[in-house]
Amino acid sequence: FGTVGADVLPWIPPDWRESDTFDFLPGVSPGRLRTFGEAVHALWHILGKQYDLDELRRHPSHHTLLPLPNPMVVPGDRFREVYYWDSYWIIRGLLVSNMTNTAKGMVGNLLHLIQEYGLVPNGTRAYYLNRSQPPLLSEAVRHVAAAAPGGDQ
């Protein structure tokens, strides 16, 4: 096996911007809640990851990761994979941060898992293929569609 984490690369979402460069959280007054929202927003570019698909294809027996077509945002800095339940809340946060393209890519990854495996597993590791979490994909799709240009906002 190779070095732990060598199959996952950092990725900065192209639609991420500093929160002071756009009307971030327009309905939230300065204070603890707004500070919390800004802190979460500041994490998106740190938590962005993409799989080294060449490495995964070259040595599939060396990895338990399930390849995904799009980069993703993981639920914390110690994680190297997507988790279904967490992805729903990440997608909601990305939409608050006006990161619709990144959220759309996350939904695309979940749809890819259904295409490939018939379900969205608990996480994107081979050993999670026998279990899932509460069905939140349709809600994620609905939220992303509503946030897209021309969506029902």
Side-chain angles (χ1 to χ4, degrees):
F1 292 99
T3 306
V4 173
D7 46 8
V8 180
L9 306 170
W11 173 74
I12 297 175
D15 52 355
W16 185 84
R17 299 177 297 170
E18 294 283 345
S19 62
D20 61 356
T21 64
F22 65 101
D23 192 15
F24 182 67
L25 298 174
V28 179
S29 302
R32 288 177 42 191
L33 184 58
R34 185 176 188 86
T35 300
F36 173 76
E38 290 170 346
V40 170
H41 175 80
L43 291 174
W44 298 141
H45 76 287
I46 296 167
L47 298 176
K49 306 288 181 202
Q50 61 184 352
Y51 292 152
D52 183 345
L53 295 177
D54 290 336
E55 170 63 20
L56 295 178
R57 289 184 187 113
R58 208 172 23 252
H59 304 289
S61 63
H62 294 188
H63 307 279
T64 59
L65 285 171
L66 303 175
L68 296 172
N70 304 306
M72 65 255 166
V73 175
V74 296
D77 63 351
R78 71 184 187 103
F79 294 101
R80 297 188 315 266
E81 64 274 327
V82 166
Y83 286 90
Y84 184 17
W85 172 264
D86 302 80
S87 291
Y88 174 75
W89 300 106
I90 289 168
I91 289 165
R92 296 292 310 268
L94 291 170
L95 294 173
V96 169
S97 292
N98 293 324
M99 296 174 63
T100 307
N101 289 333
T102 300
K104 185 178 176 183
M106 294 280 293
V107 166
N109 285 338
L110 299 176
L111 292 170
H112 169 79
L113 292 167
I114 288 180
Q115 249 182 320
E116 288 293 313
Y117 307 105
L119 76 155
V120 178
N122 180 57
T124 52
R125 296 277 182 180
Y127 48 80
Y128 288 132
L129 285 172
N130 64 347
R131 62 181 181 248
S132 187
Q133 292 181 317
L136 295 169
L137 180 55
S138 60
E139 278 296 299
V141 169
R142 184 176 70 82
H143 289 293
V144 170
D152 182 24
Q153 293 188 4

